[in-house]
Amino acid sequence: MNLIARIKQHFQDSAQTKLDASELLAAPIAQAIEAMVGCLLNNGKILACGNGGSAADAQHLAAELVGRFEAERHELAAIALTTDTSIMTAIGNDYGFKMVFAKQVRALGQPGDVLVAISTSGNSPNVIEAINAAHENELRVVALTGKDGGAIGEMLCDSDVHICVPAERTARIQETHLLAIHCLCDGIDGLLMGVEE
């Protein structure tokens, strides 16, 4: 195996996936930024969930919003629903893993809040249940998916935003999700702070 060539191929594939996605995803990312800023300006909060690498992305997003992205600013209300092991294990034990996010959305989500639902396949049962709970509680959904969007792509409402990475490989989808999250953070900061450049 030629490790150098293999590594270079990963870099090239990742870069190409992002370039291919830029035209398709710029508009929905901008819509998501506007939805999230509107939520925050109305004293709402951002809830985020996902599994595995997508759980890490949910936590990354919340950390950037509560802490900061690149510029100093006041804290923004965001909660990753993937971090409280007592809640997750209690719900998982008593109600099944499918409900670990939905019950948190029902407990914490208020009308006007935004749920950022992350699933590379678009078919994660617990993320689907979280979206159902969000719709029941009048939260707007920003869904980050890949491939063809899966079941999540089909269940979104007109007021929701779908950021679907046009790729098949999970690694490429996750890498593009991270870039989209950074775009969300940058756009939120830009709108809130009036940054032009």
Side-chain angles (χ1 to χ4, degrees), residues 105-172:
V105 170
R106 289 192 186 97
L108 301 171
Q110 298 294 320
D113 288 347
V114 172
L115 173 68
V116 178
I118 310 171
S119 170
T120 57
S121 68
N123 293 314
S124 303
N126 56 7
V127 177
I128 289 170
E129 289 301 322
I131 293 170
N132 285 330
H135 287 157
E136 291 166 11
N137 285 17
E138 299 177 34
L139 281 73
R140 195 166 180 188
V141 175
V142 173
L144 279 75
T145 68
K147 303 180 182 179
D148 63 358
I152 288 172
E154 296 175 5
M155 68 185 296
L156 296 175
C157 300
D158 290 341
S159 61
D160 296 332
V161 181
H162 192 192
I163 300 168
C164 182
V165 177
E168 292 295 319
R169 290 184 67 181
T170 298
R172 301 292 87 91

Side-chain angles (χ1 to χ4, degrees), residues 51 81 85-104 106 124-130:
N51 298 288
L81 304 180
T85 54
S86 294
I87 288 175
M88 291 186 68
T89 55
I91 295 170
N93 185 63
D94 294 347
Y95 299 94
F97 190 64
K98 191 163 91 167
M99 300 307 294
V100 294
F101 302 136
K103 290 188 76 65
Q104 292 184 76
R106 289 192 186 97
S124 303
N126 56 7
V127 177
I128 289 170
E129 289 301 322

